[in-house]
């Protein structure tokens, strides 16, 4: 009998050598995050025999000076930057237009988690800290908008705008109606695709 088959299918990011010094693109990303007003601290590298890998993780504490993320999210810098820009440039103005309030807090349901995609042996983008799941948006006067299958009309319009606008800044966008696993949150990730395309459902 040979060795047991790995539980997860291999991904080229899985067992890449972690350089001893932080690569230039990671350093530059952190500088951009600071300019956006995000707050973060360095977190311990993550790796796992199954192939989950996050060599230079951040613990993201705020997306911008005026926008919190709760709870703190362990995530890669590229996904943190995309999320910070999206919250500032898209979600907050959409909230202001629809509700007369700006975005105060993004409620996240999942960032780095070592697991496969639901129902497969392929590693999830969460396994590389390359995804963020969002379950709630809380606005500056306390209005809370939950991601759910049948939201009230005003919330539905806002959520639909966010979902549509996310397709492009993020490479995968899933949410209520995509499948049962995404009924109560938006999944945004930066999955590398051969043609640089997007998958939005």
């Amino acid at each position: 009998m040979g060795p047991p088959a790995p539980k997860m299918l291999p991904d080229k990011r899985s067992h890449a050598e972690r350089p001893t010094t932080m690569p230039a693109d990671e350093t530059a990303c952190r500088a951009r995050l600071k300019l956006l007003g995000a707050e973060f601290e360095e977190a311990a590298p993550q790796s796992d025999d199954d192939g989950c890998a996050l060599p230079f993780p951040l613990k993201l504490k705020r997306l911008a000076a005026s926008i919190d993320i709760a709870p703190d999210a362990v995530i890669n810098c590229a996904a943190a930057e995309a999320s910070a820009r999206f919250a500032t440039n898209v979600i907050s103005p959409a909230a202001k237009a629809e509700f007369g309030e700006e975005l105060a807090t993004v409620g996240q349901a999942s960032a780095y988690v070592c697991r496969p995609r639901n129902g497969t042996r392929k590693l999830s983008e969460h396994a590389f800290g390359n995804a963020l799941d969002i379950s709630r948006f809380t606005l500056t006067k306390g209005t809370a908008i939950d991601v759910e299958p049948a939201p009230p009309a005003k919330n539905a319009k806002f959520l639909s705008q966010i979902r549509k606008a996310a397709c492009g800044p993020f490479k995968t966008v899933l949410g209520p109606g995509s499948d049962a696993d995404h009924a109560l949150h938006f999944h945004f990730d930066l999955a590398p695709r051969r043609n640089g395309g997007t998958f939005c459902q």
Side-chain angles (χ1 to χ4, degrees):
M1 274 176 65
K7 290 202 287 282
M8 311 276 189
L9 297 170
D11 183 294
K12 66 173 190 282
R13 295 170 286 179
S14 290
H15 302 292
E17 197 72 23
R18 181 181 187 266
T20 47
T21 55
M22 190 178 285
D25 60 340
E26 290 281 347
T27 315
C29 176
R30 283 156 169 76
R32 291 191 302 270
L33 257 187
K34 285 186 177 140
L35 286 175
L36 289 167
E39 279 179 34
F40 58 90
E41 57 191 44
E42 300 298 329
Q46 305 287 334
S47 64
D48 177 275
D49 289 345
D50 282 337
C52 300
L54 182 47
F56 295 101
L58 299 177
K59 185 189 238 187
L60 187 60
K61 300 164 115 35
R62 289 189 78 79
L63 288 158
S66 60
I67 305 171
D68 196 8
I69 184 166
D72 295 350
V74 174
I75 196 167
N76 73 27
C77 192
E81 184 185 357
S83 302
R85 285 188 193 284
F86 190 68
T88 304
N89 300 337
V90 177
I91 304 173
S92 199
K96 181 83 172 159
E98 199 58 44
F99 296 95
E101 304 173 51
E102 287 171 16
L103 180 64
T105 306
V106 166
Q108 66 93 4
S110 183
Y112 172 77
V113 188
C114 186
R115 64 172 176 77
R117 282 192 208 166
N118 296 320
T120 74
R121 284 176 56 223
K122 195 172 161 73
L123 283 163
S124 164
E125 288 303 305
H126 287 287
F128 302 100
N130 205 30
L132 187 68
D133 289 348
I134 298 174
S135 57
R136 170 177 282 191
F137 303 95
T138 307
L139 309 185
T140 44
K141 293 178 191 162
T143 300
I145 300 131
D146 289 320
V147 178
E148 55 188 337
K154 202 170 184 183
N155 293 13
K157 186 179 169 194
F158 168 77
L159 292 168
S160 170
Q161 282 178 323
I162 300 308
R163 189 171 182 165
K164 210 169 281 178
C167 190
F170 297 96
K171 299 301 174 193
T172 313
V173 175
L174 301 168
S178 302
D179 56 42
D181 296 311
H182 296 94
L184 297 174
H185 66 263
F186 287 148
H187 168 97
F188 297 157
D189 75 38
L190 296 176
R193 290 201 166 80
R194 274 194 291 275
N195 60 358
T198 53
F199 180 79
C200 305
Q201 212 176 52

